[in-house]
Amino acid sequence: MGYSLSLNSTIGGGSTSQSRSGGKFISYGRVVDVILDETHPQYGRRGGGIAINGVFYKPLSSTASEQGTTDLPFAYQLQAHIKVVPLVGEIVQIEPLPVPSDPDFIGKTRKYYTKILNIWNNPNSNFYPDTKNNLGIDFTQGSKFVELGTVNPIGSSPGDIQLEGRQGQSLRFTGGRALSNPWVDSSNLGKPVIILSNGQKDTDNGFTTIGEDVNEDDSSIYLVADHKIPLKQASEKRSAWDEAPTKADQFKGNQVVINGGRLFFNAKEHDIQLSSLKSIGLNTEGTVNIDSAGYMCLDGPRIYLGEKSRSASDNFKEPVILGNQLEGFLESLLNMIEGMANDMASAKTSDNKPIPKLNKRGIQAKPVINALKRRINPNGSSTLKSKKVFTE
C-alpha cells in the first residue's frame, strides 16, 4: 500500500484533525495499543472489564516526538453487541460521551472510539502509519495479526446490507442486480438472498471488489427465495432413483445451499431429524457408512437393495427370504426325508429279505440329515439366520 495520502486534507479538513458535531468535540487518533484481555498491564488501571478492546491512541493533532504508550490518551469501545476492534496504526474517531448515570457523574464524559476510518476501503486493514514518529509501534500486532493483500472487498448491489471480516469472511443481505449477484435476473429481482461466506477465492490483488463464489470460497451458506446457485456437485451418482432430482446448479427456487470442505452435523443433546416432502438423497464417490449403538430400522412400501432390484421387471426381482419361514420349511422337509431314510434303512423285500443298496443309502443319509437339522436350530440357536438383520 502507498502512504502519500494527506490525512489532514481527508479528515475534517483542519490541521488539528478535530471538529464539532452536534455540540460534541470529535477528534481523531492513531491506535498505538489495544487492551484485548486481562493480561494487559493497563487492564486494571483502565477499569478492568470495561476496558476490553479499548485503545491507547496518539492524537493526530499531537506533534510530540517522544511519548510513552501508557501516557497516551485512552478511548473505550462504544458498542457492546457489534464489535469492530481496531488494529494498531489504524485511525479512529474519538467522541466524548456520558459516563454511567450515577449522580456524581452528571455532566462528565468519557472518551470512546466510534468508528475506524476507511482509509483504503479494504476490510483487511486500514492502518496508516505516522511517517514522522511511530513511537516504536509494532505494526505486526505482536505477531497476532497478518495483513493479507489478497482479501478483497465484496461487491454490492443497490440497497445491500453487508458485514465483512478482515480475513475474507462476509455476511450479505442482498436481492438487487449487480455483477456480484449473477443469480439475480428480471424474474427474481427484489427477492431476498442471504449469503454467509468464509474464505475468499484467490485473486491477483486485494483492491478490486469481487462477488462470493459458492465453489471457490472455503465454505458458504446461501439462503435464497427464487434463485439458481451454480454449485458444482461433488458426486452425481443417481443410480438409485427412478427419476433423478434436479442438479444443484439447475434448481431454481426457495432453497438453502451449504458448501464446504467438510460438513459435520452433531446433536450433543437430542436428535438430527431430516424430513422431506418428496425425497432424501445420499450420494458419494466414496462409501456410505451408517453406525448405530442401538437398533437401525428402514421402512417403506418396498425396500430395494441394488439398482437392478428396483429397475428390473417383477419376474426378475429377487425377494429377500424370510428366515423363520425358511427354517420351518426346511425342518419339515428334513423331517420328511429323515422318515424316508429310516424306512430305506429297514426296507425289506416281500419275502422279508433286506435290500442292501436301499438299506445302505438310508443308513448313510441319516447322519447327514441329523447334521443338517442341527444347523437349522442347534440348542435353539439357528446358524442360518442373521442375529442382526430382520425383515417383516
Side-chain angles (χ1 to χ4, degrees), residues 224-350:
V224 301
D226 185 25
H227 304 78
K228 184 189 296 184
I229 304 301
L231 174 68
K232 297 177 182 177
Q233 294 181 191
S235 173
E236 295 189 0
K237 188 177 187 301
R238 289 290 188 269
S239 301
W241 299 76
D242 283 326
E243 182 179 348
T246 305
K247 291 185 177 180
D249 60 354
Q250 297 300 313
F251 181 86
K252 183 176 184 290
N254 178 359
Q255 59 176 325
V256 177
V257 176
I258 304 175
N259 193 32
R262 186 188 189 200
L263 302 182
F264 195 105
F265 298 92
N266 182 67
K268 65 178 183 179
E269 293 184 4
H270 296 291
D271 313 327
I272 293 177
Q273 297 288 336
L274 300 177
S275 178
S276 171
L277 182 63
K278 293 186 64 176
S279 62
I280 294 176
L282 299 174
N283 64 296
T284 175
E285 295 300 296
T287 62
V288 175
N289 309 284
I290 303 176
D291 295 285
S292 172
Y295 69 83
M296 186 182 304
C297 181
L298 300 175
D299 185 52
R302 282 197 171 190
I303 298 173
Y304 298 107
L305 301 178
E307 176 189 357
K308 292 182 179 179
S309 68
R310 175 188 55 79
S311 59
S313 65
D314 288 341
N315 292 333
F316 293 94
K317 295 183 188 297
E318 294 289 343
V320 174
I321 294 175
L322 302 178
N324 290 335
Q325 299 298 319
L326 176 63
E327 184 181 83
F329 171 81
L330 292 176
E331 193 167 8
S332 298
L333 179 62
L334 288 174
N335 286 337
M336 184 180 66
I337 295 175
E338 184 181 30
M340 294 173 61
N342 290 332
D343 291 341
M344 291 169 62
S346 59
K348 294 181 179 181
T349 62
S350 58

Side-chain angles (χ1 to χ4, degrees), residues 95-239:
E95 294 186 34
L97 297 169
V99 294
S101 58
D102 186 275
D104 292 340
F105 292 89
I106 293 177
K108 292 189 177 181
T109 60
R110 185 161 59 199
K111 291 182 178 179
Y112 293 84
Y113 65 88
T114 56
K115 65 179 69 174
I116 301 171
L117 266 64
N118 183 17
I119 303 296
W120 308 114
N121 199 29
N122 184 277
N124 179 250
S125 174
N126 281 282
F127 81 86
Y128 191 97
D130 186 347
T131 56
K132 295 181 179 179
N133 177 29
N134 280 322
L135 302 175
I137 296 173
D138 179 10
F139 289 104
T140 67
Q141 327 292 315
S143 300
K144 296 178 181 179
F145 181 84
V146 177
E147 184 182 14
L148 302 172
T150 56
V151 173
N152 296 68
I154 298 296
S156 306
S157 73
D160 278 7
I161 297 174
Q162 55 199 83
L163 301 174
E164 298 181 40
R166 296 185 186 270
Q167 288 80 25
Q169 316 95 319
S170 61
L171 172 62
R172 188 157 66 103
F173 300 84
T174 184
R177 296 184 71 171
L179 292 176
S180 57
N181 283 357
W183 38 80
V184 176
D185 55 30
S186 58
S187 69
N188 54 25
L189 179 62
K191 294 186 177 180
V193 176
I194 301 176
I195 304 171
L196 175 62
S197 179
N198 182 63
Q200 298 176 351
K201 63 184 179 183
D202 293 333
T203 60
D204 294 332
N205 64 72
F207 289 98
T208 57
T209 59
I210 61 173
E212 302 90 345
D213 190 312
V214 68
N215 297 302
E216 296 296 328
D217 295 345
D218 291 345
S219 56
S220 53
I221 301 176
Y222 287 66
L223 295 90
V224 301
D226 185 25
H227 304 78
K228 184 189 296 184
I229 304 301
L231 174 68
K232 297 177 182 177
Q233 294 181 191
S235 173
E236 295 189 0
K237 188 177 187 301
R238 289 290 188 269
S239 301

Side-chain angles (χ1 to χ4, degrees), residues 45-123:
R45 181 183 171 191
R46 295 296 174 175
I50 63 172
I52 293 294
N53 296 335
V55 301
F56 293 94
Y57 65 95
K58 177 186 176 185
L60 295 189
S61 58
S62 174
T63 58
S65 58
E66 295 293 338
Q67 192 173 16
T69 301
T70 58
D71 298 325
L72 290 171
F74 185 80
Y76 293 86
Q77 178 177 252
L78 178 64
Q79 294 286 347
H81 306 289
I82 299 177
K83 304 176 182 181
V84 182
V85 181
L87 294 173
V88 170
E90 290 187 321
I91 310 301
V92 292
Q93 179 176 295
I94 311 295
E95 294 186 34
L97 297 169
V99 294
S101 58
D102 186 275
D104 292 340
F105 292 89
I106 293 177
K108 292 189 177 181
T109 60
R110 185 161 59 199
K111 291 182 178 179
Y112 293 84
Y113 65 88
T114 56
K115 65 179 69 174
I116 301 171
L117 266 64
N118 183 17
I119 303 296
W120 308 114
N121 199 29
N122 184 277

